[in-house]
Amino acid sequence: MTAVLAEWPRDLPMAAIHSDLFPDNVLMLGDRVTGVIDFYFACTDIRSYDLAVMHTSWAFDGDGENYDPAIGKALIDGYASRFPLSDAERAALPILARGACLRFLLTRAWDWLNTPADALVTRKDPLAYWRRLETYLKDDLFA
């Protein structure tokens, strides 16, 4: 975690971002996006952090064990077609993805330990994000 904080970029473009663009927050009808929900974590932050969050959630299976390079590339290409990525933004994607993994690992761990048994929410396995983090630490998935 210390390495992520030390390497966290401080000079990338900022914008209003969703910050939680998981597949279950994007409503689809066939191949068309018809809505985006759950703006609870929306904020002004590093614009390409939204792409990193999407990459960590869309390009892996639910257990975080298997990475799909075709989906990872499609996310980056699709994003860049609407918001061109500078060299600095592209270079920062690995650290932004590691930061996203830590964020969701920790928040899911908190929820796992603190959600009452009778809550009307489904707890999500925090270790799925540990496995994603391990992948980002050993492989440059953005090369």
Side-chain angles (χ1 to χ4, degrees):
M1 186 156 148
T2 306
V4 170
L5 290 173
E7 295 177 40
W8 197 255
R10 310 228 186 289
D11 57 353
L12 295 179
M14 306 279 278
I17 64 171
H18 186 278
S19 195
D20 195 27
L21 278 171
F22 279 68
D24 55 353
N25 289 334
V26 178
L27 306 177
M28 304 286 292
L29 197 57
D31 290 339
R32 276 186 334 115
V33 173
T34 58
V36 177
I37 61 171
D38 192 3
F39 287 85
Y40 184 78
F41 292 106
C43 60
T44 299
D45 207 331
I46 296 171
R47 188 183 68 199
S48 52
Y49 179 68
D50 248 358
L51 173 57
V53 168
M54 289 174 55
H55 198 272
T56 69
S57 62
W58 290 71
F60 286 84
D61 65 8
D63 294 331
E65 293 180 2
N66 298 299
Y67 172 71
D68 187 329
I71 293 175
K73 181 179 179 349
L75 285 166
I76 295 166
D77 292 348
Y79 184 93
S81 74
R82 302 292 262 175
F83 301 101
L85 293 164
S86 69
D87 290 344
E89 287 174 302
R90 284 186 184 274
L93 285 172
I95 197 69
L96 294 173
R98 290 181 203 132
C101 287
L102 286 169
R103 170 190 166 196
F104 293 109
L105 167 66
L106 294 172
T107 57
R108 285 182 174 193
W110 172 263
D111 291 344
W112 191 267
L113 297 171
N114 294 290
T115 299
D118 61 346
L120 297 175
V121 297
T122 302
R123 296 182 309 170
K124 296 180 181 176
D125 180 11
L127 295 179
Y129 266 87
W130 177 259
R131 290 186 280 277
R132 287 170 171 90
L133 177 59
E134 287 179 320
T135 300
Y136 284 111
L137 288 171
K138 69 178 175 142
D139 297 323
D140 183 357
L141 304 181
F142 300 99

